Amino acid sequence: TEAVKTRDTVLVLDASGSMSEKPVTVLKEAAKIFCSGVLNASGNRVAIVVYSSTVERTLDFTSDLDSLNSTIDSIWAYGGTNIGAALDSASSMLSSSDADAKNIVLMTDGLPQSGFYKESGRYSSSDISTYYRYANYVYEQCSELKQSYNIYTLGFFHGLYGKELQFGHKFLNDIQNKGYYEVTDASKLKFIFGELAEDITKEDYPIIVVHGMMGGKLYDGNDLV
């Protein structure tokens, strides 16, 4: 009998102030669907990192759905968006994992706007003012993380428009190596988290179709375009 492949997945959730009210309520429901879906497959554990201006709370790897749901229920939204700190926390958790596959699922509703930064790098002020500095740090950070971990990104862009939205597409697609997902309508978030859970638990670790870019699925408002 073939041994069960083990997977450890860190679910990294944005709890910044722009997630307050309906977005964070929907996020909690969607995150629970994700955890339940992943744990339905053998050999899986999930950890949680909740971040705003800093890492607000963490839960180490577990297959106990009640513990995961309790951590998710404790989320409340305030502060900024420190993606770099959140990824550092996720990397630290995975560094002690001996799973066959190690995954990071990064969810954000905005652009990196606090934490460490780099003036020079992949992005410049012509891409986006101010935020490019934080994006440069995260891009470099993820370039290293991709060597050891599978990174999935999910943009819940319910409040971004114009140039910021365009940069959000580019940034989250740049830092992933397994899949970029995007949704603007809160009603679609649960579906996307469910689809993410299915992709992560597929056997033999297939190549994942990148959603929202390169011909994948892109949700805009209520329509699949």
Side-chain angles (χ1 to χ4, degrees), residues 62-80:
T62 181
S63 55
D64 180 7
L65 187 58
D66 288 340
S67 295
L68 291 162
N69 287 345
S70 178
T71 298
I72 292 166
D73 280 333
S74 71
I75 296 172
W76 63 289
Y78 67 98

Side-chain angles (χ1 to χ4, degrees), residues 105-131:
V105 176
L106 170 68
M107 171 268 155
T108 183
D109 78 331
L111 308 178
Q113 57 179 221
S114 60
F116 293 115
Y117 61 89
K118 291 181 69 68
E119 290 290 342
S120 60
R122 182 169 181 83
Y123 312 111
S124 68
S125 58
S126 63
D127 293 301
I128 194 78
S129 63
T130 308
Y131 299 139

Side-chain angles (χ1 to χ4, degrees), residues 7-10 94 100-106 145-153 175-179 200 205 208:
R7 304 176 186 86
D8 279 350
T9 301
V10 186
L94 285 169
D100 297 322
K102 303 176 185 182
N103 309 309
I104 296 173
V105 176
L106 170 68
L145 294 177
K146 287 176 186 178
Q147 297 176 33
S148 302
Y149 311 130
N150 302 318
I151 302 177
Y152 303 78
T153 56
I175 66 173
Q176 60 80 31
N177 63 351
K178 279 294 183 179
I200 283 175
Y205 313 112
I208 307 263

